[in-house]
């Protein structure tokens, strides 16, 4: 539900349930008297079950970006950053993994060319079925989500559910999926996703601290797998009942 769509519901609703805090803040600013609640979407049950069954390993080699290849997702920053780290990644046993369906042909070709030419060991896929993607995510150390703004970003949760630590834009509240992961303890890393240099520096720092990486990945996995369809349905039902009771 986009913010514009939600605002058009105001004429007939006094209470609205929204999928992300970003949309919530935009709508709340337009209609401060409205009772608005955030409900983040869950993993699909089949994928949730598959990720829960995965054996967790600390021997992970991929530095992954799994996004549709369109300019808004900013994937070229990932490609430039990892290309600049090619020798360091190779020396330390890490492999860039780019997995993304082509949304913009020219942009997709540009991204793949940057990574392929700058990092010979890179693995590049187009769209992958959920089963194949889960297997690759099981071998992923960090999942880099380069979009500076994302209404949600389910691949962040999918990767976290497989034990891959998320690395997101420093202004993380503009990335909806972080609302599920955020808590008192650190559950993701941040970088400036508009700066290949900063992203490269953060990648080295994160991969260079294995204990912290493992701790953050474990926390993120617990959060991701703790919010399935059953938990979502229960929370949504409770919210609707509360709203109806107060109507």
């Amino acid at each position: 539900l986009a913010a514009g769509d939600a605002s058009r519901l105001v004429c007939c609703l006094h209470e609205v349930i929204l999928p992300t805090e970003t949309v919530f803040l935009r709508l709340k600013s337009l209609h401060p008297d409205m009772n608005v609640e955030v409900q983040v979407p869950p993993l699909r049950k089949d994928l949730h079950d598959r990720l829960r069954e995965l054996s967790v390993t600390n021997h992970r080699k991929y530095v992954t970006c799994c996004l549709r290849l369109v300019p808004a997702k900013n994937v070229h920053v990932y490609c430039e950053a990892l290309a600049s780290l090619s020798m360091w990644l190779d020396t330390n046993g890490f492999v860039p993994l780019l997995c993304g369906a082509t949304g913009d042909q020219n942009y997709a070709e540009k991204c793949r060319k940057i990574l392929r030419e700058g990092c010979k060991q890179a693995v590049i896929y187009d769209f992958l079925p959920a089963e194949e993607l889960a297997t690759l995510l099981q071998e992923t150390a960090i999942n880099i989500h380069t979009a500076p703004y994302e209404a949600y970003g389910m691949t962040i949760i999918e990767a976290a559910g497989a034990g891959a630590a998320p690395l997101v834009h420093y202004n993380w509240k503009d990335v909806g999926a972080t609302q599920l992961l955020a808590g008192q303890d650190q559950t993701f890393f941040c970088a400036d996703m508009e700066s290949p240099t900063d992203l490269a520096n953060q990648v080295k720092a994160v991969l260079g601290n294995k204990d912290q990486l493992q701790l953050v990945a474990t926390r993120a996995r617990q959060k991701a797998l703790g919010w399935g369809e059953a938990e979502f349905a229960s929370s949504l039902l409770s919210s609707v009942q509360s709203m109806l009771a107060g109507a």
Side-chain angles (χ1 to χ4, degrees):
L1 183 64
D5 298 329
S7 65
R8 285 193 286 273
L9 294 175
V10 174
C11 61
C12 58
L13 292 177
H14 294 290
E15 297 173 317
V16 180
I17 298 173
L18 298 170
T20 71
E21 185 169 339
T22 299
V23 179
F24 159 76
L25 292 172
R26 290 172 63 188
L27 184 60
K28 194 69 175 176
S29 67
L30 294 172
H31 306 279
D33 296 330
M34 178 179 288
N35 181 16
V36 181
E37 183 174 330
V38 174
Q39 290 284 346
V40 296
L43 288 166
R44 292 196 329 266
K45 187 178 187 304
D46 59 336
L47 184 56
H48 182 273
D49 293 344
R50 172 74 178 94
L51 294 175
R52 188 180 289 278
E53 292 170 358
L54 289 178
S55 58
V56 178
T57 174
N58 295 328
H59 302 290
R60 294 169 176 262
K61 63 181 180 180
Y62 291 126
V63 180
T64 299
C65 181
C66 185
L67 283 166
R68 194 161 58 96
L69 297 179
V70 294
K73 302 298 184 183
N74 228 32
V75 178
H76 69 280
V77 173
Y78 163 87
C79 298
E80 292 176 12
L82 268 67
S84 74
L85 292 176
S86 179
M87 290 184 62
W88 186 90
L89 292 169
D90 194 38
T91 300
N92 288 276
F94 294 107
V95 178
L97 170 62
L98 176 61
C99 174
T102 299
D104 180 306
Q105 187 67 39
N106 291 335
Y107 184 74
E109 290 176 359
K110 170 188 172 181
C111 290
R112 290 169 180 150
K113 181 179 180 181
I114 292 170
L115 187 60
R116 188 179 292 113
E117 293 182 354
C119 207
K120 302 299 183 183
Q121 72 270 36
V123 177
I124 300 175
Y125 290 102
D126 204 308
F127 174 80
L128 285 175
E131 184 70 20
E132 294 180 41
L133 179 59
T135 300
L136 292 172
L137 292 177
Q138 187 181 14
E139 298 182 74
T140 292
I142 52 175
N143 175 57
I144 300 174
H145 196 90
T146 52
Y149 170 84
E150 188 75 82
Y152 194 61
M154 186 60 81
T155 56
I156 297 172
I157 305 304
E158 293 170 351
L167 177 56
V168 301
H169 191 47
Y170 73 94
N171 196 5
W172 56 268
K173 286 192 175 181
D174 283 341
V175 180
T178 61
Q179 305 310 311
L180 175 60
L181 299 178
Q184 184 175 356
D185 297 317
Q186 183 182 5
T187 52
F188 50 84
F189 299 98
C190 295
D192 183 352
M193 293 301 176
E194 296 179 315
S195 167
T197 300
D198 187 67
L199 177 56
N201 290 338
Q202 293 304 318
V203 167
K204 286 183 68 174
V206 170
L207 293 176
N209 188 340
K210 293 183 179 180
D211 290 341
Q212 183 67 10
L213 174 60
Q214 182 179 342
L215 181 60
V216 170
T218 299
R219 290 170 180 163
R221 186 168 192 259
Q222 291 171 346
K223 287 270 192 174
L225 296 182
W227 187 251
E229 289 183 357
E231 290 80 8
F232 172 76
S234 176
S235 179
L236 184 61
L237 177 61
S238 176
S239 295
V240 171
Q241 288 174 333
S242 177
M243 287 181 173
L244 291 175

PDB file of all heavy atoms in Angstrom, residues 2 12 14 16 29-30 40 51 53 56 65 70 89 92 97 116 119 124 142 152 157 162 198-199 206-207 212 229 238:
ATOM      1  N   ALA A   2       0.886   1.974  -1.069  1.00  0.00           N
ATOM      2  CA  ALA A   2       1.716   3.175  -1.163  1.00  0.00           C
ATOM      3  C   ALA A   2       1.097   4.307  -0.362  1.00  0.00           C
ATOM      4  O   ALA A   2      -0.102   4.306  -0.087  1.00  0.00           O
ATOM      5  CB  ALA A   2       1.864   3.590  -2.626  1.00  0.00           C
ATOM      6  N   CYS A  12     -12.788   7.544   3.929  1.00  0.00           N
ATOM      7  CA  CYS A  12     -13.734   6.548   4.439  1.00  0.00           C
ATOM      8  C   CYS A  12     -13.207   5.802   5.655  1.00  0.00           C
ATOM      9  O   CYS A  12     -13.928   5.010   6.247  1.00  0.00           O
ATOM     10  CB  CYS A  12     -14.115   5.561   3.337  1.00  0.00           C
ATOM     11  SG  CYS A  12     -12.725   4.679   2.627  1.00  0.00           S
ATOM     12  N   HIS A  14     -10.936   5.971   9.450  1.00  0.00           N
ATOM     13  CA  HIS A  14     -10.279   6.763  10.483  1.00  0.00           C
ATOM     14  C   HIS A  14      -9.081   6.004  11.047  1.00  0.00           C
ATOM     15  O   HIS A  14      -8.284   6.554  11.786  1.00  0.00           O
ATOM     16  CB  HIS A  14     -11.254   7.085  11.613  1.00  0.00           C
ATOM     17  CG  HIS A  14     -12.366   7.979  11.181  1.00  0.00           C
ATOM     18  ND1 HIS A  14     -12.175   9.305  10.857  1.00  0.00           N
ATOM     19  CD2 HIS A  14     -13.680   7.732  10.980  1.00  0.00           C
ATOM     20  CE1 HIS A  14     -13.337   9.861  10.500  1.00  0.00           C
ATOM     21  NE2 HIS A  14     -14.257   8.913  10.575  1.00  0.00           N
ATOM     22  N   VAL A  16      -6.028   3.087   9.876  1.00  0.00           N
ATOM     23  CA  VAL A  16      -5.406   2.404   8.753  1.00  0.00           C
ATOM     24  C   VAL A  16      -4.218   1.595   9.260  1.00  0.00           C
ATOM     25  O   VAL A  16      -3.466   2.053  10.115  1.00  0.00           O
ATOM     26  CB  VAL A  16      -4.902   3.422   7.689  1.00  0.00           C
ATOM     27  CG1 VAL A  16      -4.246   2.690   6.521  1.00  0.00           C
ATOM     28  CG2 VAL A  16      -6.062   4.269   7.186  1.00  0.00           C
ATOM     29  N   SER A  29       2.008  12.468   8.770  1.00  0.00           N
ATOM     30  CA  SER A  29       2.268  13.896   8.607  1.00  0.00           C
ATOM     31  C   SER A  29       1.121  14.592   7.880  1.00  0.00           C
ATOM     32  O   SER A  29       0.842  15.770   8.111  1.00  0.00           O
ATOM     33  CB  SER A  29       3.575  14.118   7.849  1.00  0.00           C
ATOM     34  OG  SER A  29       3.465  13.682   6.508  1.00  0.00           O
ATOM     35  N   LEU A  30       0.453  13.858   6.994  1.00  0.00           N
ATOM     36  CA  LEU A  30      -0.682  14.419   6.259  1.00  0.00           C
ATOM     37  C   LEU A  30      -1.951  14.432   7.104  1.00  0.00           C
ATOM     38  O   LEU A  30      -2.779  15.333   6.982  1.00  0.00           O
ATOM     39  CB  LEU A  30      -0.925  13.619   4.972  1.00  0.00           C
ATOM     40  CG  LEU A  30       0.170  13.680   3.904  1.00  0.00           C
ATOM     41  CD1 LEU A  30      -0.137  12.681   2.795  1.00  0.00           C
ATOM     42  CD2 LEU A  30       0.278  15.085   3.331  1.00  0.00           C
ATOM     43  N   VAL A  40       4.365  -5.127   9.379  1.00  0.00           N
ATOM     44  CA  VAL A  40       5.290  -5.512   8.316  1.00  0.00           C
ATOM     45  C   VAL A  40       4.909  -6.887   7.776  1.00  0.00           C
ATOM     46  O   VAL A  40       4.432  -7.743   8.512  1.00  0.00           O
ATOM     47  CB  VAL A  40       6.748  -5.523   8.813  1.00  0.00           C
ATOM     48  CG1 VAL A  40       7.174  -4.130   9.213  1.00  0.00           C
ATOM     49  CG2 VAL A  40       6.939  -6.506   9.949  1.00  0.00           C
ATOM     50  N   LEU A  51      13.900 -21.919   4.991  1.00  0.00           N
ATOM     51  CA  LEU A  51      14.994 -21.225   5.664  1.00  0.00           C
ATOM     52  C   LEU A  51      15.214 -21.750   7.083  1.00  0.00           C
ATOM     53  O   LEU A  51      16.347 -21.841   7.548  1.00  0.00           O
ATOM     54  CB  LEU A  51      14.726 -19.721   5.694  1.00  0.00           C
ATOM     55  CG  LEU A  51      14.716 -19.016   4.332  1.00  0.00           C
ATOM     56  CD1 LEU A  51      14.310 -17.557   4.491  1.00  0.00           C
ATOM     57  CD2 LEU A  51      16.084 -19.112   3.660  1.00  0.00           C
ATOM     58  N   GLU A  53      14.832 -24.718   8.027  1.00  0.00           N
ATOM     59  CA  GLU A  53      15.469 -26.043   7.942  1.00  0.00           C
ATOM     60  C   GLU A  53      16.948 -25.977   7.584  1.00  0.00           C
ATOM     61  O   GLU A  53      17.669 -26.959   7.742  1.00  0.00           O
ATOM     62  CB  GLU A  53      14.735 -26.895   6.887  1.00  0.00           C
ATOM     63  CG  GLU A  53      13.318 -27.276   7.278  1.00  0.00           C
ATOM     64  CD  GLU A  53      12.562 -27.890   6.116  1.00  0.00           C
ATOM     65  OE1 GLU A  53      13.144 -27.972   5.004  1.00  0.00           O
ATOM     66  OE2 GLU A  53      11.398 -28.291   6.307  1.00  0.00           O
ATOM     67  N   VAL A  56      22.962 -23.926   9.684  1.00  0.00           N
ATOM     68  CA  VAL A  56      23.700 -22.664   9.766  1.00  0.00           C
ATOM     69  C   VAL A  56      25.194 -22.953   9.809  1.00  0.00           C
ATOM     70  O   VAL A  56      25.668 -23.749  10.626  1.00  0.00           O
ATOM     71  CB  VAL A  56      23.272 -21.861  11.014  1.00  0.00           C
ATOM     72  CG1 VAL A  56      24.086 -20.576  11.115  1.00  0.00           C
ATOM     73  CG2 VAL A  56      21.797 -21.537  10.943  1.00  0.00           C
ATOM     74  N   CYS A  65      24.485  -9.287  -3.402  1.00  0.00           N
ATOM     75  CA  CYS A  65      23.485  -8.253  -3.666  1.00  0.00           C
ATOM     76  C   CYS A  65      22.408  -8.899  -4.508  1.00  0.00           C
ATOM     77  O   CYS A  65      22.677  -9.414  -5.589  1.00  0.00           O
ATOM     78  CB  CYS A  65      24.103  -7.068  -4.402  1.00  0.00           C
ATOM     79  SG  CYS A  65      22.924  -5.730  -4.753  1.00  0.00           S
ATOM     80  N   VAL A  70      17.525  -2.084 -11.716  1.00  0.00           N
ATOM     81  CA  VAL A  70      16.954  -0.823 -12.190  1.00  0.00           C
ATOM     82  C   VAL A  70      17.674   0.297 -11.435  1.00  0.00           C
ATOM     83  O   VAL A  70      18.179   0.081 -10.328  1.00  0.00           O
ATOM     84  CB  VAL A  70      15.436  -0.747 -11.938  1.00  0.00           C
ATOM     85  CG1 VAL A  70      14.690  -1.786 -12.765  1.00  0.00           C
ATOM     86  CG2 VAL A  70      15.106  -0.911 -10.457  1.00  0.00           C
ATOM     87  N   LEU A  89      39.180  -9.204  -1.550  1.00  0.00           N
ATOM     88  CA  LEU A  89      38.178 -10.267  -1.431  1.00  0.00           C
ATOM     89  C   LEU A  89      38.777 -11.614  -1.796  1.00  0.00           C
ATOM     90  O   LEU A  89      38.573 -12.623  -1.098  1.00  0.00           O
ATOM     91  CB  LEU A  89      36.980  -9.959  -2.327  1.00  0.00           C
ATOM     92  CG  LEU A  89      36.119  -8.754  -1.938  1.00  0.00           C
ATOM     93  CD1 LEU A  89      35.141  -8.409  -3.059  1.00  0.00           C
ATOM     94  CD2 LEU A  89      35.364  -9.016  -0.640  1.00  0.00           C
ATOM     95  N   ASN A  92      41.123 -12.983   0.820  1.00  0.00           N
ATOM     96  CA  ASN A  92      40.458 -13.408   2.057  1.00  0.00           C
ATOM     97  C   ASN A  92      39.360 -14.446   1.827  1.00  0.00           C
ATOM     98  O   ASN A  92      38.621 -14.774   2.762  1.00  0.00           O
ATOM     99  CB  ASN A  92      39.888 -12.181   2.762  1.00  0.00           C
ATOM    100  CG  ASN A  92      40.970 -11.305   3.375  1.00  0.00           C
ATOM    101  OD1 ASN A  92      41.423 -11.561   4.484  1.00  0.00           O
ATOM    102  ND2 ASN A  92      41.406 -10.285   2.653  1.00  0.00           N
ATOM    103  N   LEU A  97      28.626 -11.951  -5.272  1.00  0.00           N
ATOM    104  CA  LEU A  97      27.506 -12.655  -5.892  1.00  0.00           C
ATOM    105  C   LEU A  97      26.407 -11.644  -6.201  1.00  0.00           C
ATOM    106  O   LEU A  97      25.817 -11.057  -5.300  1.00  0.00           O
ATOM    107  CB  LEU A  97      26.956 -13.734  -4.957  1.00  0.00           C
ATOM    108  CG  LEU A  97      25.629 -14.403  -5.348  1.00  0.00           C
ATOM    109  CD1 LEU A  97      25.765 -15.126  -6.684  1.00  0.00           C
ATOM    110  CD2 LEU A  97      25.161 -15.365  -4.263  1.00  0.00           C
ATOM    111  N   ARG A 116      31.883  -7.708 -13.593  1.00  0.00           N
ATOM    112  CA  ARG A 116      32.581  -8.774 -14.321  1.00  0.00           C
ATOM    113  C   ARG A 116      34.019  -8.364 -14.677  1.00  0.00           C
ATOM    114  O   ARG A 116      34.953  -9.152 -14.540  1.00  0.00           O
ATOM    115  CB  ARG A 116      31.804  -9.126 -15.588  1.00  0.00           C
ATOM    116  CG  ARG A 116      32.321 -10.365 -16.330  1.00  0.00           C
ATOM    117  CD  ARG A 116      31.491 -10.670 -17.546  1.00  0.00           C
ATOM    118  NE  ARG A 116      30.150 -11.103 -17.199  1.00  0.00           N
ATOM    119  CZ  ARG A 116      29.044 -10.398 -17.460  1.00  0.00           C
ATOM    120  NH1 ARG A 116      29.129  -9.222 -18.059  1.00  0.00           N
ATOM    121  NH2 ARG A 116      27.860 -10.870 -17.118  1.00  0.00           N
ATOM    122  N   CYS A 119      36.070  -7.629 -11.164  1.00  0.00           N
ATOM    123  CA  CYS A 119      36.200  -8.705 -10.190  1.00  0.00           C
ATOM    124  C   CYS A 119      35.973 -10.039 -10.909  1.00  0.00           C
ATOM    125  O   CYS A 119      34.846 -10.519 -11.012  1.00  0.00           O
ATOM    126  CB  CYS A 119      35.164  -8.490  -9.089  1.00  0.00           C
ATOM    127  SG  CYS A 119      35.611  -9.187  -7.507  1.00  0.00           S
ATOM    128  N   ILE A 124      27.542 -14.164 -11.227  1.00  0.00           N
ATOM    129  CA  ILE A 124      26.431 -13.297 -11.641  1.00  0.00           C
ATOM    130  C   ILE A 124      25.281 -14.150 -12.156  1.00  0.00           C
ATOM    131  O   ILE A 124      25.458 -14.984 -13.048  1.00  0.00           O
ATOM    132  CB  ILE A 124      26.882 -12.312 -12.736  1.00  0.00           C
ATOM    133  CG1 ILE A 124      28.027 -11.433 -12.206  1.00  0.00           C
ATOM    134  CG2 ILE A 124      25.709 -11.444 -13.192  1.00  0.00           C
ATOM    135  CD1 ILE A 124      28.631 -10.509 -13.246  1.00  0.00           C
ATOM    136  N   ILE A 142      27.487 -11.556   3.994  1.00  0.00           N
ATOM    137  CA  ILE A 142      26.693 -10.339   4.141  1.00  0.00           C
ATOM    138  C   ILE A 142      25.853 -10.127   2.882  1.00  0.00           C
ATOM    139  O   ILE A 142      26.294 -10.382   1.769  1.00  0.00           O
ATOM    140  CB  ILE A 142      27.557  -9.082   4.419  1.00  0.00           C
ATOM    141  CG1 ILE A 142      28.675  -8.919   3.388  1.00  0.00           C
ATOM    142  CG2 ILE A 142      28.101  -9.101   5.819  1.00  0.00           C
ATOM    143  CD1 ILE A 142      29.471  -7.628   3.556  1.00  0.00           C
ATOM    144  N   TYR A 152       9.810  -1.796   1.361  1.00  0.00           N
ATOM    145  CA  TYR A 152      10.057  -2.901   2.303  1.00  0.00           C
ATOM    146  C   TYR A 152      11.424  -3.528   2.028  1.00  0.00           C
ATOM    147  O   TYR A 152      12.389  -3.213   2.680  1.00  0.00           O
ATOM    148  CB  TYR A 152       8.943  -3.948   2.253  1.00  0.00           C
ATOM    149  CG  TYR A 152       9.039  -4.882   3.453  1.00  0.00           C
ATOM    150  CD1 TYR A 152       8.930  -4.383   4.741  1.00  0.00           C
ATOM    151  CD2 TYR A 152       9.302  -6.242   3.302  1.00  0.00           C
ATOM    152  CE1 TYR A 152       9.068  -5.205   5.850  1.00  0.00           C
ATOM    153  CE2 TYR A 152       9.433  -7.075   4.402  1.00  0.00           C
ATOM    154  CZ  TYR A 152       9.315  -6.551   5.678  1.00  0.00           C
ATOM    155  OH  TYR A 152       9.454  -7.373   6.774  1.00  0.00           O
ATOM    156  N   ILE A 157      15.050  -9.723   4.441  1.00  0.00           N
ATOM    157  CA  ILE A 157      14.538 -10.686   5.416  1.00  0.00           C
ATOM    158  C   ILE A 157      14.838 -12.115   4.978  1.00  0.00           C
ATOM    159  O   ILE A 157      15.191 -12.972   5.805  1.00  0.00           O
ATOM    160  CB  ILE A 157      13.028 -10.489   5.620  1.00  0.00           C
ATOM    161  CG1 ILE A 157      12.733  -9.035   6.013  1.00  0.00           C
ATOM    162  CG2 ILE A 157      12.494 -11.437   6.690  1.00  0.00           C
ATOM    163  CD1 ILE A 157      13.471  -8.546   7.243  1.00  0.00           C
ATOM    164  N   ALA A 162      18.380 -16.827   6.216  1.00  0.00           N
ATOM    165  CA  ALA A 162      19.363 -17.840   5.846  1.00  0.00           C
ATOM    166  C   ALA A 162      20.679 -17.661   6.601  1.00  0.00           C
ATOM    167  O   ALA A 162      21.626 -18.412   6.391  1.00  0.00           O
ATOM    168  CB  ALA A 162      19.626 -17.787   4.348  1.00  0.00           C
ATOM    169  N   ASP A 198      32.629   4.447   0.536  1.00  0.00           N
ATOM    170  CA  ASP A 198      32.185   4.142   1.894  1.00  0.00           C
ATOM    171  C   ASP A 198      31.701   2.702   1.988  1.00  0.00           C
ATOM    172  O   ASP A 198      31.974   2.007   2.977  1.00  0.00           O
ATOM    173  CB  ASP A 198      31.072   5.097   2.328  1.00  0.00           C
ATOM    174  CG  ASP A 198      30.701   4.910   3.789  1.00  0.00           C
ATOM    175  OD1 ASP A 198      31.550   5.213   4.660  1.00  0.00           O
ATOM    176  OD2 ASP A 198      29.575   4.437   4.068  1.00  0.00           O
ATOM    177  N   LEU A 199      30.981   2.249   0.973  1.00  0.00           N
ATOM    178  CA  LEU A 199      30.504   0.864   0.994  1.00  0.00           C
ATOM    179  C   LEU A 199      31.689  -0.101   1.021  1.00  0.00           C
ATOM    180  O   LEU A 199      31.688  -1.065   1.796  1.00  0.00           O
ATOM    181  CB  LEU A 199      29.615   0.583  -0.213  1.00  0.00           C
ATOM    182  CG  LEU A 199      29.119  -0.867  -0.340  1.00  0.00           C
ATOM    183  CD1 LEU A 199      28.375  -1.314   0.911  1.00  0.00           C
ATOM    184  CD2 LEU A 199      28.225  -1.017  -1.570  1.00  0.00           C
ATOM    185  N   VAL A 206      33.321  -4.960   8.126  1.00  0.00           N
ATOM    186  CA  VAL A 206      32.382  -5.995   8.577  1.00  0.00           C
ATOM    187  C   VAL A 206      32.978  -7.383   8.421  1.00  0.00           C
ATOM    188  O   VAL A 206      32.948  -8.206   9.346  1.00  0.00           O
ATOM    189  CB  VAL A 206      31.056  -5.889   7.786  1.00  0.00           C
ATOM    190  CG1 VAL A 206      30.169  -7.102   8.060  1.00  0.00           C
ATOM    191  CG2 VAL A 206      30.311  -4.607   8.166  1.00  0.00           C
ATOM    192  N   LEU A 207      33.540  -7.667   7.251  1.00  0.00           N
ATOM    193  CA  LEU A 207      34.115  -8.991   7.019  1.00  0.00           C
ATOM    194  C   LEU A 207      35.371  -9.229   7.850  1.00  0.00           C
ATOM    195  O   LEU A 207      35.722 -10.380   8.141  1.00  0.00           O
ATOM    196  CB  LEU A 207      34.445  -9.156   5.533  1.00  0.00           C
ATOM    197  CG  LEU A 207      33.245  -9.200   4.582  1.00  0.00           C
ATOM    198  CD1 LEU A 207      33.717  -9.276   3.133  1.00  0.00           C
ATOM    199  CD2 LEU A 207      32.315 -10.368   4.903  1.00  0.00           C
ATOM    200  N   GLN A 212      31.825 -10.240  15.453  1.00  0.00           N
ATOM    201  CA  GLN A 212      30.692  -9.328  15.383  1.00  0.00           C
ATOM    202  C   GLN A 212      29.775  -9.694  14.220  1.00  0.00           C
ATOM    203  O   GLN A 212      28.543  -9.631  14.339  1.00  0.00           O
ATOM    204  CB  GLN A 212      31.173  -7.887  15.239  1.00  0.00           C
ATOM    205  CG  GLN A 212      30.064  -6.834  15.224  1.00  0.00           C
ATOM    206  CD  GLN A 212      29.337  -6.728  16.552  1.00  0.00           C
ATOM    207  OE1 GLN A 212      29.760  -7.309  17.552  1.00  0.00           O
ATOM    208  NE2 GLN A 212      28.226  -5.993  16.571  1.00  0.00           N
ATOM    209  N   GLU A 229       3.947 -16.216   8.778  1.00  0.00           N
ATOM    210  CA  GLU A 229       2.548 -15.923   8.464  1.00  0.00           C
ATOM    211  C   GLU A 229       1.657 -16.045   9.691  1.00  0.00           C
ATOM    212  O   GLU A 229       0.715 -15.267   9.863  1.00  0.00           O
ATOM    213  CB  GLU A 229       2.053 -16.864   7.358  1.00  0.00           C
ATOM    214  CG  GLU A 229       2.663 -16.566   5.998  1.00  0.00           C
ATOM    215  CD  GLU A 229       2.100 -17.455   4.897  1.00  0.00           C
ATOM    216  OE1 GLU A 229       1.276 -18.345   5.215  1.00  0.00           O
ATOM    217  OE2 GLU A 229       2.473 -17.251   3.725  1.00  0.00           O
ATOM    218  N   SER A 238      -5.290  -9.033  16.006  1.00  0.00           N
ATOM    219  CA  SER A 238      -5.342  -8.287  17.249  1.00  0.00           C
ATOM    220  C   SER A 238      -5.518  -6.791  16.988  1.00  0.00           C
ATOM    221  O   SER A 238      -6.301  -6.104  17.661  1.00  0.00           O
ATOM    222  CB  SER A 238      -4.058  -8.525  18.042  1.00  0.00           C
ATOM    223  OG  SER A 238      -4.030  -7.750  19.225  1.00  0.00           O
TER     224      SER A 238
END
